[in-house]
Amino acid sequence: MALGERMNVVIVGAGIGGLTLAAALHREGISARIYERDLGITARQQGYALSLKESTGLKVLRTLGLYEDIRAVGRPAIDFTFLTPEGKDILHLRADPSSPEYTLGVPRDRLRTRLLEAVPAEWLTWGARCTGVSRRGSSWLVEFEDQEPVEAGLVVAADGVRSALRKVVVGDELHYLGLQAVGGATGSEVEHPLLAAGAFMTLGKGASIFVQRFSDEGKTIWSFCAHAGEKALDALDGQALKDWARERTQTWHEPIPTLMASTSPSSVVVRGYYDRNPLRTHVHPGVVLMGDAAHPMSPFQGQGANMAMVDALELAVALRRLSHGETGALAEYERAAVKRNRDAVMRSRMAARLFHSRGAVSTTARNMGLRLVDKFLPKPKP
């Protein structure tokens, strides 16, 4: 009998975190079953870009032997500029590709597909929407909307920001950050010096835009974020969303107006940004929370996917150690995960507030502070 069969691991969610865990378990010789609500990997819009960092997400990919495949479809972010809407520099970040701060911009769908390829196909069940979990003797029943429940010895909740499993075992509420992000993609690359190194971010009063170029996709993606009510943009179609963002950036520096004009409304989507107050525990009786189910956070530190991937790799190692009789392995995993992810959530929450300061005084103070940081940052040698 395989080790995974004895442990009877069930992963709920086949996003970046869940698939990284599955690939890591497969590497450790532990089998698992994965249940995903989507009907397939292309069933819905996956989002555009992830920023994977050398010290976290890229390190995980190296361990799993997937780094070179992802590097081939990514674009290094070695030169990143923060600007005002008038196009004046606020902060210029440069990273050596060998440094821990090195970041690779990666298409989310390409990463998810490659992780899926690293997992045995028979592990996956698509179209399984989890609704909760309940106890059955010494094991657990994972419950679904349209299929029979499945029994598990250990359930891993990797089911995202609106985790059904977290609702059962914790029961807390999402914390809306007051921000809506409208994003889209150009049909072709837009040439501009700011995009030569891949990405930039412009900070206005109560609003920001992040722009990134893909190396092999023939397009540039953007995400405009501003204060808005939680449901304020839900009824708008792609054209109306594009108009909403374009109206608020029409006087901003190039290439922002050109990007907006070059974007097809069919590519435009909206999402609200949420996090949750950090938990003191991720390991509950029979259920381990990981990734966004454990620590959803805003994207303004670029940490969400990275933290989920680190969770996944370290959890796989902990389960291997547990299988060999190291009874404290999960507790050790949890202590490290709680601290690491609490820090990431709070830094991301602070960045969301800082980047979207609304008042004239707070905006000026923000820009002055970032310029001061820029002044004292060590500059790489040419």
Side-chain angles (χ1 to χ4, degrees):
M1 181 180 290
L3 175 58
E5 293 171 350
R6 295 200 303 272
M7 297 185 77
N8 198 7
V9 178
V10 167
I11 303 168
V12 177
I16 301 300
L19 289 175
T20 303
L21 175 61
L25 288 174
H26 186 48
R27 177 177 174 272
E28 296 287 352
I30 301 173
S31 62
R33 291 170 290 161
I34 313 165
Y35 294 86
E36 165 58 42
R37 65 176 182 172
D38 288 348
L39 295 176
I41 199 164
T42 61
R44 60 187 172 93
Q45 170 62 257
Q46 297 299 305
Y48 290 111
L50 295 171
S51 296
L52 299 187
K53 302 181 185 301
E54 177 61 38
S55 59
T56 49
L58 295 179
K59 184 177 180 180
V60 171
L61 291 177
R62 290 182 193 277
T63 301
L64 297 178
L66 304 177
Y67 172 79
E68 293 300 332
D69 289 347
I70 298 305
R71 173 65 183 85
V73 299
R75 187 180 186 98
I78 57 175
D79 198 334
F80 188 94
T81 304
F82 290 87
L83 305 103
T84 68
E86 296 76 29
K88 296 179 180 179
D89 284 10
I90 302 174
L91 174 62
H92 199 168
L93 301 175
R94 301 174 182 87
D96 187 306
S98 64
S99 77
E101 290 77 31
Y102 170 66
T103 298
L104 187 70
V106 175
R108 179 187 290 267
D109 59 345
R110 303 290 285 273
L111 175 60
R112 192 178 180 212
T113 297
R114 185 62 189 91
L115 289 168
L116 182 64
E117 292 169 352
V119 177
E122 62 271 20
W123 287 15
L124 266 290
T125 298
W126 299 97
R129 182 180 292 273
C130 179
T131 57
V133 64
S134 60
R135 185 142 201 169
R136 171 184 278 184
S138 61
S139 59
W140 299 84
L141 279 184
V142 185
E143 298 156 354
F144 300 93
E145 193 172 85
D146 296 317
Q147 70 172 61
E148 292 299 309
V150 298
E151 191 169 341
L154 179 70
V155 183
V156 180
D159 52 339
V161 173
R162 299 181 183 277
S163 170
L165 292 174
R166 178 164 175 154
K167 185 175 182 180
V168 172
V169 301
V170 180
D172 59 342
E173 296 296 326
L174 281 169
H175 171 238
Y176 178 56
L177 295 169
L179 298 169
Q180 294 283 315
V182 172
T186 63
S188 59
E189 289 191 356
V190 173
E191 297 299 328
H192 192 276
L194 283 171
L195 292 170
F200 70 88
M201 189 172 189
T202 297
L203 305 178
K205 290 182 180 179
S208 71
I209 190 166
F210 171 76
V211 179
Q212 185 174 41
R213 173 179 286 171
F214 284 163
S215 59
D216 70 337
E217 295 278 319
K219 62 187 178 185
T220 301
I221 62 99
W222 55 267
S223 178
F224 173 76
C225 185
H227 292 272
E230 190 170 4
K231 305 293 184 182
L233 307 182
D234 284 4
L236 302 185
D237 62 14
Q239 182 62 56
L241 289 170
K242 175 182 170 179
D243 292 344
W244 184 86
R246 196 174 183 183
E247 177 184 346
R248 287 159 176 79
T249 56
Q250 59 186 338
T251 62
W252 289 24
H253 66 83
E254 286 290 349
I256 295 169
T258 299
L259 289 168
M260 294 284 182
S262 304
T263 297
S264 167
S266 64
S267 75
V268 180
V269 295
V270 63
R271 66 183 64 195
Y273 285 142
Y274 299 83
D275 65 15
R276 294 186 194 260
N277 290 326
L279 295 173
R280 295 182 178 180
T281 179
H282 293 178
V283 179
H284 301 261
V287 179
V288 179
L289 303 177
M290 62 158 284
D292 283 347
H295 44 78
M297 63 189 76
S298 85
F300 298 105
Q301 287 278 292
Q303 292 287 3
N306 288 281
M307 293 297 100
M309 294 171 75
V310 173
D311 284 355
L313 185 65
E314 294 192 357
L315 180 56
V317 171
L319 292 180
R320 186 252 299 157
R321 292 175 56 205
L322 183 65
S323 73
H324 291 299
E326 296 185 46
T327 56
L330 273 181
E332 289 181 24
Y333 160 80
E334 182 181 45
R335 282 193 293 272
V338 166
K339 182 183 187 307
R340 174 178 67 244
N341 292 306
R342 176 184 178 82
D343 292 348
V345 169
M346 299 314 295
R347 286 197 305 270
S348 297
R349 186 180 290 183
M350 290 174 63
R353 291 172 179 166
L354 178 69
F355 291 170
H356 302 93
S357 301
R358 287 193 269 194
V361 173
S362 60
T363 300
T364 299
R366 174 198 66 199
N367 293 354
M368 288 177 63
L370 293 175
R371 286 190 173 111
L372 188 62
V373 171
D374 185 68
K375 182 177 180 180
F376 288 100
L377 277 178
K379 306 301 180 185
K381 295 179 181 179

